Amino acid sequence: MRIILLGVPGAGKGTQAEFISNRLGIPALSTGNMLRAAVKAETPLGLQVKDLLAAGELVSDDIILNIIKERLAEPDCNPGYILDGVPRTVAQAEGLEALEVEVDTCLFFDIPDQAVIDRLSGRRSCPECQAVHHITANPPQTEGICDVCSTALVQRPDDTTDTVGRRLEVFREQTAPLIDFYTAKGILKVVPSEGTVEEVTARVFDVLEA
Ligand code: AMP
């Protein structure tokens, strides 16, 4: 199974990617997580993209295609993969095709803007392992502490109200054309993404198993 997850920030891609990964035994590849790890480690790539991430702007298609190409070459991707947050532009989708990256299904997480603004304000992320929690919808067992690795949770700098607005605009301008792109290929499946994590997970597997 080779799956793309498409949707605005906060639609639930990262959370559902973990469930799909565990159920199907295929890795979830998040370009956002890879870039944040590079920023944290202050690698040359990290230093190059740090300000773009903080501003909610997209990193160049070339950089993204390079990092995803390298990751897909690792053997754990042989049985399949989940692409979380990539492609984000039609040029990236075409670049993946040129690299002969196969895709069976594109899941579009469909949710109104206001619902994601509410969600992102309560999102708390682990700076160490990148696990995602929410103060009310998916609270950690101990307040403020990551369930997975016990690191103190933080609010991502790009989850603040100002930047969220820009990220929604960037989605509309640069990423939304992918809805038509994958519809035309006959592989787009819509997942209504309001509701609880469990409700959305049930819809994801209904769609994948249909
Ligand atoms: P995410 O964790 O998917 O919300 O991504 C966080 C940030 O990383 C985005 O706002 C972009 O700055 C950058 N980013 C992640 N994936 C991509 C991509 N496929 N293309 C361009 N920029 C990306």
Side-chain angles (χ1 to χ4, degrees), residues 47-123:
L47 296 173
Q48 194 182 342
V49 302
K50 183 176 182 195
D51 292 347
L52 289 170
L53 262 72
E57 301 293 339
L58 294 187
V59 170
S60 80
D61 295 331
D62 284 351
I63 290 180
I64 294 296
L65 288 169
N66 273 329
I67 60 175
I68 200 72
K69 180 182 161 189
E70 272 182 30
R71 181 63 186 87
L72 284 167
E74 291 177 35
D76 62 326
C77 297
N78 288 344
Y81 39 81
I82 304 152
L83 300 183
D84 166 11
V86 61
R88 216 107 149 188
T89 63
V90 171
Q92 289 178 20
E94 289 170 348
L96 290 176
E97 285 186 342
L99 292 169
E100 298 183 351
V101 174
E102 305 281 344
V103 182
D104 304 302
T105 302
C106 175
L107 295 181
F108 171 47
F109 290 80
D110 192 17
I111 186 164
D113 282 2
Q114 191 53 50
V116 296
I117 291 168
D118 295 344
R119 259 189 208 178
L120 291 176
S121 64
R123 178 154 85 172

Side-chain angles (χ1 to χ4, degrees), residues 194-210:
E194 279 188 280
T196 65
V197 171
E198 292 77 13
E199 285 165 347
V200 180
T201 305
R203 288 179 211 136
V204 164
F205 286 103
D206 281 350
V207 162
L208 285 178
E209 286 156 13

Side-chain angles (χ1 to χ4, degrees), residues 49-58 157-160 162-170:
V49 302
K50 183 176 182 195
D51 292 347
L52 289 170
L53 262 72
E57 301 293 339
L58 294 187
D158 57 344
D159 277 350
T160 55
D162 286 354
T163 314
V164 166
R166 177 62 192 146
R167 289 162 73 204
L168 292 174
E169 245 172 51
V170 166

